[in-house]
Amino acid sequence: MEFSDEILLHILSYVPCTDLVLNVRKTCRKLSTLCLDKSLTHTVLLQKDYKVNKDKVKQLMRDIGKEIYQLNMAGCYWLPSSTTDHVTRCKNLVKLNLSGCRITSLRLSKMLSTLQHLRSLAIDVNPGFDASQLSSECKATLSRVSELKQTLYTPSYGVVPCCTSLEKLLLYFEILDRSREGFMLSGQLMVGESNVPHYQNLRVFYARLAPGYVNQEVVRLYLAVLSDRTPENLHAFLISAPGSFAETGATKNLLDSMARNVRLDALQLPKAWLNGSGLLQHLKFNNPFYFSFSRCTLSGGHLIQRVINGGKDLKSLTSLNLSGCVHCLAPESLFRRAEDDIDSSILESLVVSCCNLRHLNLSAAHHHSSESIGNHLCQLLSRLKHLLSLALPVCSITDVAVNMEKPPTQPNAVPQTFGKKTRVGVQTYPRNLADQACQKLESSVFWTLMRSLRFLETLEIIGSSFSSAMPRNEPAIRNSLPPCVRAQSVGDSEVAAISQLTYLQSLTLAQLPNIVTGSGLVSIGLQCQHLRTLSLSNLGMMGKMVYMSALMDMLKHCKCLRDLRLEQPYFSAGSQFFQALSHCSSLQRLCIVSRSGTLQSDAVMSFMANCLEVVMCHMFMGESLTVCRNLQQSIVRSFQADRPALNVVIFPLLHEDLTEVIRDVPMRHLDEITLFKSRVAEEPPNLWW
């Protein structure tokens, strides 16, 4: 209490606002004054305050409603719709995020009618939304909104026709092709609803589509308006669409108009719109900060010549997504096989030109380095000193010399480590760092890369052939592709190298075939004390989870871990595992995906009782439907009252109704942890909040 007010305010900024106003403020006069300081009440973030309930929100709005200028309630799925009524107390709100919150058309109308200063809004558009229920006062507020984020769960324009001053429009399409009753949905909207403004002030257009034909139909209706008149101030145009999204005459006209009339800072297009076209040759860029060519057949030659103009200075570029671009590091895409070596000169040109990259995604492709000294992919990437997040395929981090001297053994055979040089693998499980240090391969290219990227916060090492068994809108995958031959040597020592990343916060490892003991995981647990998110999938031999002992030792050190996702066939979620997991005192979300996996109900219940912060428990295993339902009901019955945000889904992985179960999972959990995907450079930095 003897600290200066400035220091105390900085400390208090780490305390949830509800705790500050409802608890800390009552301790003494000094803190009572500081807790109401404008720096702490100007922006209120409730999006991951899982303990907040309707009464707390009501009291918070009553006490400091007039002081709040920015309110983020995104993903508060557990709050009843009536909670948003209290937002009307925040008369000075400028920015409001209600994505993932339950809200009806009438409630939205009543709330927005009182928020005359609102300029930024994020909402969901659910089945039953009726724009005709919006009052004239509500529409007046919407006419002043310059930033809008809409998540669409039904074919609709939402509130877009009312927002005539838009500068930023973000659209997330989550419409399913079939209704709950099994009827096919249509993406065609009523003609009377098509009064969409001409976006003359639009600067940012972003659309992200979930799989499904209806999503594509609806987004075309939004794009049709842009094709009539392309905004002159447009500087970011981004469309993220999985699978095939064919180009039409209207979209081609839109792109042609963009090439003539605008200069972009950020670009992402569906792969079919870029593949085989000369579009990139005509588009103009002005200090670009984000490019995504995910899953495109863009060759390295086109990348260098058309994007960075043969080595043009691109110091402004901070985020680059080349995920699934199998030819982006080869001169030409024609006649190239996946296992062919990359052209290191292309990567070197990229590294030199884009020297300030902070986010780089090279996953979902085979990037094999040649024998030439100094030109390994890891050696070239080590020059990018500003990287904060990085995604690489497993086959790109292997040491070429080791692979040339000793061909890798076949997968799923006797542990491959015994057929390699001693310096790469470990044959016994080291119990302390001294033993581990003796086995470090400090001269390997991946060790060097990890040592050079001192400030890396997010790392993904994903097998180029990996596909998750967790479906989106299709049945669970029963067969997985074998790992890349070049990746066969990647195992424990490479994982141990990651422990050099002192500031690591998020780690994803998928399809590392040569994990024998998992000893590197223990090093990560000891050294990476800021680790908050951990995702492990298909490590080592598929028929047996050989790294269980090391994983349990690792978890005992992960005091900051909040999200854990495990995907491994034949995983046994027993008492020993859950006892080790109970050491993760900060854990909030757990997801286990295991074909033919088993679980012990008593161990799960004991874990939930010990870990009071856990609000999400998803398990998709090989147990019977009866066992899964009984356990899910027991957890909900025992803990729902004390944990308002509790979300539990326990279901057989290969059950035919799994997709129906998934559609009820809150989007926050589904998108962030339950579904496996690469998240590095997935969106432009600071796209919204």
Side-chain angles (χ1 to χ4, degrees), residues 194-214:
S194 61
N195 182 29
V196 182
H198 285 281
Y199 305 126
Q200 59 267 24
N201 299 317
L202 200 65
R203 294 173 54 82
V204 177
F205 180 86
Y206 176 87
R208 194 185 80 177
L209 284 67
Y213 177 70
V214 175

Side-chain angles (χ1 to χ4, degrees), residues 351-387:
V351 168
V352 171
S353 301
C354 311
C355 57
N356 289 320
L357 275 178
R358 293 177 179 267
H359 314 280
L360 175 62
N361 194 328
L362 292 172
S363 65
H366 295 269
H367 295 316
H368 299 171
S369 298
S370 63
E371 296 180 69
S372 54
I373 300 175
N375 291 325
H376 193 284
L377 180 140
C378 291
Q379 293 172 320
L380 295 173
L381 293 183
S382 64
R383 303 182 190 176
L384 298 174
K385 302 298 183 182
H386 302 287
L387 277 181

Side-chain angles (χ1 to χ4, degrees), residues 104-105 108-109 112 121-125 129-132 134 138-139 141-143 145 147-152 156-166 169 171 193 195-197 199 222:
T104 63
S105 307
L108 180 67
S109 178
L112 294 184
L121 175 66
I123 59 169
D124 290 354
V125 178
F129 179 86
D130 186 359
S132 65
L134 302 180
C138 170
K139 292 179 179 178
T141 297
L142 288 171
S143 69
V145 167
E147 298 179 355
L148 176 66
K149 176 183 176 183
Q150 276 193 165
T151 304
L152 297 163
S156 172
Y157 287 114
V159 299
V160 170
C162 304
C163 302
T164 54
S165 303
L166 281 182
L169 177 59
L171 301 169
E193 297 176 349
N195 182 29
V196 182
Y199 305 126
Y222 282 85

Side-chain angles (χ1 to χ4, degrees), residues 59 125 137 144 190 195 203 233 273 376 395 417 549 551 553 567 573 654 676 681 688:
Q59 187 64 44
V125 178
E137 293 85 357
R144 294 185 290 268
M190 297 293 291
N195 182 29
R203 294 173 54 82
N233 294 323
W273 299 15
H376 193 284
C395 56
T417 302
S549 178
L551 175 62
D553 266 14
E567 180 170 342
L654 300 183
F676 183 95
W688 195 245

Side-chain angles (χ1 to χ4, degrees), residues 63-296:
D63 290 354
I64 63 167
K66 294 181 180 180
E67 310 300 324
I68 302 175
Y69 287 80
Q70 300 186 35
L71 176 61
N72 189 348
M73 297 176 62
C76 293
Y77 54 86
W78 62 91
L79 296 176
S81 180
S82 58
T83 308
T84 56
D85 294 344
H86 305 298
V87 177
T88 56
R89 293 180 179 271
C90 306
K91 304 293 186 182
N92 296 314
L93 263 186
V94 175
K95 194 167 188 175
L96 175 63
N97 192 340
L98 295 175
S99 295
C101 295
R102 305 171 187 172
I103 187 167
T104 63
S105 307
L106 286 173
R107 277 205 158 90
L108 180 67
S109 178
K110 179 183 176 182
M111 179 181 61
L112 294 184
S113 297
T114 64
L115 305 180
Q116 299 180 8
H117 301 287
L118 195 69
R119 297 296 180 267
S120 179
L121 175 66
I123 59 169
D124 290 354
V125 178
N126 291 296
F129 179 86
D130 186 359
S132 65
Q133 295 180 335
L134 302 180
S135 66
S136 57
E137 293 85 357
C138 170
K139 292 179 179 178
T141 297
L142 288 171
S143 69
R144 294 185 290 268
V145 167
S146 59
E147 298 179 355
L148 176 66
K149 176 183 176 183
Q150 276 193 165
T151 304
L152 297 163
Y153 293 94
T154 187
S156 172
Y157 287 114
V159 299
V160 170
C162 304
C163 302
T164 54
S165 303
L166 281 182
E167 295 181 12
K168 177 187 288 189
L169 177 59
L170 276 59
L171 301 169
Y172 292 75
F173 295 87
E174 296 289 341
I175 312 167
L176 296 176
D177 289 346
R178 291 180 180 273
S179 67
R180 292 185 180 277
E181 296 75 25
F183 299 114
M184 292 292 294
L185 293 177
S186 170
Q188 297 300 316
L189 301 178
M190 297 293 291
V191 175
E193 297 176 349
S194 61
N195 182 29
V196 182
H198 285 281
Y199 305 126
Q200 59 267 24
N201 299 317
L202 200 65
R203 294 173 54 82
V204 177
F205 180 86
Y206 176 87
R208 194 185 80 177
L209 284 67
Y213 177 70
V214 175
N215 289 316
Q216 297 183 11
E217 279 191 315
V218 177
V219 78
R220 291 189 195 280
L221 295 174
Y222 282 85
L223 292 173
V225 180
L226 289 177
S227 63
D228 290 340
R229 178 184 173 187
T230 306
E232 295 180 359
N233 294 323
L234 191 68
H235 77 99
F237 187 77
L238 308 127
I239 299 179
S240 173
S244 175
F245 186 24
E247 189 179 20
T248 64
T251 55
K252 189 177 186 304
N253 292 338
L254 169 61
L255 296 176
D256 289 342
S257 176
M258 286 172 53
R260 292 192 304 269
N261 302 319
V262 302
R263 301 181 71 89
L264 295 173
D265 294 335
L267 176 69
Q268 179 177 8
L269 295 176
K271 62 179 182 180
W273 299 15
L274 277 178
N275 292 345
S277 73
L279 176 65
L280 285 178
Q281 192 172 355
H282 303 291
L283 285 175
K284 303 180 214 45
F285 300 107
N286 179 38
N287 296 322
F289 63 89
Y290 177 81
F291 283 142
S292 177
F293 303 109
S294 180
R295 298 183 299 277
C296 293

